[in-house]
Amino acid sequence: MTRSIGTALIVLVASAVAAQVPIGDVLADSNGDGIPDRLGEVVTVEGVALVDEGHFGDYGAPLFVQDETGGLAVRFGADADASRQTVAGDVVQMTGTLRFRAGAASLEVAEYALAGSAPLPEPSLYDPADPDTYEGQLVEATGTVVGRSRVTAGDALMVSLDDLSLVVVFAFRGQRNAVSYESLEAGDRVQVVGIAGQFDRTAPYLDSRQIYPRSQRDLRVVGVSTAQYRLVALGALVLVVLAVALALWFRVQVRRRVHALQASEARFDAFVERASDAVFVHGPSGAVLRANGVARKILGSDTDGAPTSLLDAVVEDDYDAAFAHLVMLRGTGHARTDLRFQRDGRQLYEVESRVVDVEGERHALSLGRSVSARRAFERGLVEARQRAEAATRAKDTFLANMSHEIRTPLTAVIGFAELLLDDVTDDQRDLVTAIEKGGRRLLSTLNSVLDLAALDARPEPLSPAPADVLEEVREVGRLLQPLASRKGLDLTIETLHTSLPATLDVDALGRVLTNLAGNAIKFTREGRVTISVDGDGQTIVLRVSDTGVGISEAFLPNLFTAFRQQSEGIGRSHEGTGLGLTISERLVHLMGGTITVDSEVGVGTTFTVTVPRGEVPVAALLADGQTAATASPMASGMAVS
């Protein structure tokens, strides 16, 4: 009594959401495009459950319902009340959204109620002339088994009806009542009762319906089996008159089955014949047994399909490759080779073969596809890459070799300009100074370009050696102090160490520090430039800070890009090639370290370089002097501590 009252309340609530309509009206398709007109609408339907809820496991729809006008697959939405288990024969009322997935309509249920129970409907006789009428309904079909296959979702049994149309009887793996096809063979005549599923329009199941049997009882063999043939033959010895009649009947049955099998084979042959690739079957020696039109054309078979040999069909230069293809096929059961054929020697075919067992005999199925255009494209890519690499190597070699040829005359120009400064008049001194300044600027540019080229063409990594990092930092400070003094800047070295022994490439580290500190001096109008040195047992950390113009946030991603400067063009504010930071980053990476930057426009910039310290003797670490308590600044007069 409690269940009836609760059910009635649920039905009243569901009816208030949407007016109940027949399933046939829900599935109406006025424009004939195969998709229901009411797709996406919220509808209310009522029907008899054909199977228990969840009968088909994780595959397909968990429920199918049917009324007098049609059938429908049901899926429960995330908010649906599916806590109870529906059994076959329950009358259920559902409200939900009409969906269309994988070629089939389904109702995504939002509200669900039990409205009683009713006998299951009698199955309709499946009519292949109008298969879409039966989707989601209980149907019955009788035909001849032409094959079976296994896929991820389950097992498929292909049944040819009397009009030679195909029906696929599909049993889901994990189905509650398991259905097995193991006892069925091609040629058996079966009667299947089940739920009509999606109408399959894909090869090789053209014009075929999928039928889902609910249990093993829905699939039975009809007609006469081989065992029955024997019994009838024995009975015919006793009853001669009956034997003659039965023999005639058997003959009709056999002819019908043979005709069905021949028709099925003809359909599959038509599929293969229309394939765009070459398809042929051959023996272990390469003798071709069957071939489609494309294969006959390239193999040289005559119009009657007389077999040829794979070895005889290929061009002479590819005979060994074809022979090796057959040897590999016999050994591993699979082979793939590019071959050319005498009938079409300009085209290159990728031939892939696999061994198949047919009734105890080993044959090979081969597929041939023209790959001339693809192989030519691949060769073009390889050649283009080789040309690009050769051009890059030639460029790097040219720049490296030009070092001596350009630097020598530039050195002479700068040297003679310096000599002339002492011998010219005051009016001429400005001209000679311009020559010297321009020469040095050109030499600096040349050095940067050649250093970058040398890094690109570097065949080996840097050469680390034991050194004192702090001494190298002080040397860089002594070299740059005159430049800082001319601009009125304080150049300071800060450290808590008296020495920092490490194993690294001193020249590379010096070049990085010179570039970073030189840039800091160049872009600082007033204030100070500070070089901080720190380290532990594993790494060395160097920081170069300034109080200069800073770097805009928009330019930071391009900071280490070659030939890029924040100030570019004729009106740029500072000289340079834009290569110093690029070279510094390359050298830091070669040393196995990292370089980062922190900058604010109008406040200043800090570059941080972290490199591995390398192998350092314990004695050197103990003598590091890390117990010093104060920094050792270099005043504007460059006081090195």
Side-chain angles (χ1 to χ4, degrees):
M1 181 67 180
T2 303
R3 177 181 177 181
S4 301
I5 295 174
T7 303
L9 291 175
I10 295 175
V11 171
L12 289 174
V13 173
S15 301
V17 175
Q20 180 176 310
V21 294
I23 293 177
D25 293 350
V26 173
L27 300 177
D29 180 17
S30 60
N31 58 7
D33 62 353
I35 301 176
D37 298 334
R38 304 186 69 168
L39 181 65
E41 294 185 13
V42 177
V43 297
T44 299
V45 299
E46 182 178 289
V48 180
L50 301 181
V51 293
D52 297 352
E53 180 187 333
H55 180 83
F56 294 126
D58 295 332
Y59 299 95
L63 193 62
F64 286 88
V65 297
Q66 177 180 338
D67 64 7
E68 296 179 355
T69 63
L72 186 61
V74 176
R75 292 181 173 85
F76 292 106
D79 299 328
D81 180 14
S83 59
R84 66 180 304 280
Q85 293 290 319
T86 305
V87 298
D90 282 352
V91 177
V92 292
Q93 186 180 67
M94 296 162 291
T95 300
T97 305
L98 187 62
R99 304 294 188 190
F100 193 79
R101 296 185 178 92
S106 62
L107 185 68
E108 186 175 291
V109 175
E111 298 179 3
Y112 172 93
L114 179 67
S117 61
L120 291 178
E122 291 295 324
S124 303
L125 186 63
Y126 173 60
D127 180 10
D130 187 19
D132 285 333
T133 304
Y134 301 95
E135 187 165 310
Q137 302 181 56
L138 202 60
V139 297
E140 175 185 330
T142 303
T144 303
V145 176
V146 296
R148 63 187 183 188
S149 62
R150 174 167 293 184
V151 297
T152 303
D155 298 323
L157 185 71
M158 289 173 284
V159 177
S160 176
L161 304 183
D162 293 337
D163 65 344
L164 302 183
S165 61
L166 276 179
V167 167
V168 178
V169 183
F170 196 88
F172 289 101
R173 187 165 293 111
Q175 187 171 322
R176 179 176 300 173
N177 298 322
V179 179
S180 174
Y181 304 144
E182 294 296 329
S183 61
L184 299 177
E185 298 179 357
D188 286 345
R189 190 167 179 79
V190 296
Q191 182 182 60
V192 59
V193 175
I195 302 171
Q198 176 183 348
F199 182 59
D200 201 335
R201 295 177 172 84
T202 60
Y205 314 114
L206 295 176
D207 302 331
S208 65
R209 163 76 66 190
Q210 292 183 357
I211 297 179
Y212 309 131
R214 299 160 297 176
S215 66
Q216 195 69 42
R217 293 190 301 272
D218 284 345
L219 184 66
R220 67 186 184 91
V221 179
V222 298
V224 181
S225 65
T226 303
Q228 292 172 323
Y229 281 149
R230 297 190 184 98
L231 293 175
V232 173
L234 291 174
L237 296 176
V238 180
L239 302 172
V240 177
V241 176
L242 181 60
V244 173
L246 290 177
L248 293 176
W249 186 81
F250 283 139
R251 186 176 182 182
V252 172
Q253 294 297 317
V254 171
R255 285 181 176 178
R256 182 177 298 173
R257 294 175 65 179
V258 170
H259 176 71
L261 291 175
Q262 290 175 343
S264 176
E265 184 179 359
R267 283 196 298 272
F268 285 107
D269 286 344
F271 296 148
V272 175
E273 186 67 26
R274 290 176 173 83
S276 58
D277 295 335
V279 182
F280 56 96
V281 179
H282 57 87
S285 64
V288 178
L289 305 177
R290 297 189 63 180
N292 68 350
V294 178
R296 290 195 297 272
K297 179 180 178 181
I298 66 173
L299 291 172
S301 301
D302 57 29
T303 55
D304 297 330
T308 184
S309 171
L310 178 65
L311 296 176
D312 295 336
V314 299
V315 298
E316 183 178 357
D317 292 342
D318 289 352
Y319 181 89
D320 292 340
F323 184 80
H325 181 90
L326 296 176
V327 171
M328 180 178 294
L329 184 62
R330 288 195 294 269
T332 64
H334 175 262
R336 179 185 294 174
T337 310
D338 289 348
L339 298 173
R340 292 169 297 166
F341 295 89
Q342 296 177 12
R343 285 291 186 91
D344 194 6
R346 293 176 299 177
Q347 291 292 327
L348 183 66
Y349 288 86
E350 182 185 65
V351 178
E352 183 173 5
S353 304
R354 290 187 181 275
V355 172
V356 293
D357 291 327
V358 181
E359 297 180 353
E361 296 184 6
R362 287 172 60 87
H363 297 291
L365 174 65
S366 295
L367 301 178
R369 174 170 297 177
S370 176
V371 293
S372 296
R374 189 176 73 188
R375 294 291 187 267
F377 180 73
E378 292 172 353
R379 288 194 301 271
L381 289 179
V382 173
E383 293 172 357
R385 178 180 177 180
Q386 292 174 346
R387 289 194 298 269
E389 291 176 347
T392 300
R393 289 193 298 270
K395 178 207 68 176
D396 296 339
T397 302
F398 172 77
L399 289 176
N401 291 337
M402 287 298 292
S403 172
H404 178 73
E405 298 299 328
I406 298 180
R407 281 174 173 162
T408 299
L410 270 179
T411 302
V413 170
I414 296 172
F416 284 119
E418 291 176 347
L419 292 176
L420 287 174
L421 284 174
D422 298 331
D423 298 331
V424 296
T425 63
D426 293 340
D427 296 337
Q428 296 171 334
R429 191 177 304 278
D430 291 340
L431 299 177
V432 176
T433 301
I435 294 174
E436 180 193 14
K437 184 177 180 181
R440 293 189 181 280
R441 179 178 174 185
L442 180 58
L443 182 60
S444 176
T445 301
L446 176 62
N447 287 335
S448 297
V449 173
L450 293 176
D451 287 346
L452 182 62
L455 288 174
D456 289 336
R458 179 180 294 273
E460 298 178 356
L462 300 176
S463 301
D468 186 352
V469 174
L470 190 55
E471 182 60 32
E472 181 62 26
V473 173
R474 289 169 175 158
E475 180 63 25
V476 171
R478 282 191 287 268
L479 292 175
L480 295 178
Q481 178 59 36
L483 180 61
S485 298
R486 284 197 295 270
K487 295 190 67 173
L489 303 176
D490 291 335
L491 178 59
T492 307
I493 296 177
E494 295 181 351
T495 182
L496 295 177
H497 302 263
T498 57
S499 66
L500 270 177
T503 301
L504 43 72
D505 192 305
V506 177
D507 292 337
L509 182 64
R511 183 62 188 274
V512 172
L513 281 175
T514 301
N515 285 340
L516 296 180
N519 280 349
I521 295 172
K522 180 196 301 185
F523 292 101
T524 301
R525 296 188 180 92
E526 58 183 13
R528 61 185 297 176
V529 174
T530 304
I531 304 176
S532 302
V533 187
D534 198 2
D536 54 26
Q538 302 295 327
T539 59
I540 297 293
V541 180
L542 304 172
R543 292 183 179 87
V544 178
S545 304
D546 63 59
T547 57
V549 296
I551 304 170
S552 67
E553 184 177 355
F555 186 75
L556 282 176
N558 303 314
L559 189 62
F560 297 104
T561 303
F563 302 106
R564 291 296 304 273
Q565 291 180 291
Q566 181 169 319
S567 176
E568 296 181 333
I570 298 176
R572 63 179 180 168
S573 57
H574 296 85
E575 298 177 351
T577 60
L579 294 177
L581 291 179
T582 303
I583 294 172
S584 298
E585 183 191 38
R586 298 272 189 93
L587 291 174
V588 170
H589 288 171
L590 285 174
M591 288 188 288
T594 60
I595 180 170
T596 59
V597 60
D598 183 18
S599 182
E600 183 178 350
V601 176
V603 176
T605 303
T606 298
F607 283 89
T608 302
V609 175
T610 304
V611 294
R613 191 166 183 176
E615 298 182 1
V616 183
V618 176
L621 289 175
L622 294 176
D624 193 349
Q626 300 183 42
T627 58
T630 59
S632 300
M634 290 172 52
S636 60
M638 183 57 190
V640 182
S641 60

